[in-house]
Amino acid sequence: MTSTAFGVQEGHVYPEPVHEVFPGTLRIIDGWLRPNDAPGWGIDLDEAAAARFPAELAFHDAWAAGVRGPDGGLIAP
């Protein structure tokens, strides 16, 4: 998994519940994005685990819902 199209790649470290609900979610280990061995992206969905984590709006999501339209564009004040 490589690309010479950029010099620095941003990454996101997901909390453990994300890895429980979506087994195979990529992890950053020692500064490297490590792919899994499954075909494609190799990310699955564990519906039983998802049921343990009901959806809720995070602070940012609630804020963004007030300043962005359904297409993601900013709403003029």
Side-chain angles (χ1 to χ4, degrees):
M1 193 161 133
T2 65
S3 175
T4 58
F6 51 84
V8 175
Q9 173 64 40
E10 293 182 21
H12 185 79
V13 178
Y14 294 99
E16 198 54 40
V18 171
H19 295 283
E20 289 180 46
V21 175
F22 300 103
T25 297
L26 303 180
R27 294 178 184 265
I28 298 174
I29 301 171
D30 296 329
W32 295 88
L33 182 61
R34 302 289 182 179
N36 58 49
D37 294 329
W41 283 107
I43 300 171
D44 203 358
L45 170 64
D46 182 334
E47 293 185 30
R52 294 194 317 267
F53 301 99
E56 57 187 48
L57 285 180
F59 172 77
H60 180 270
D61 298 327
W63 168 83
V67 298
R68 295 194 175 271
D71 65 351
L74 289 172
I75 298 172

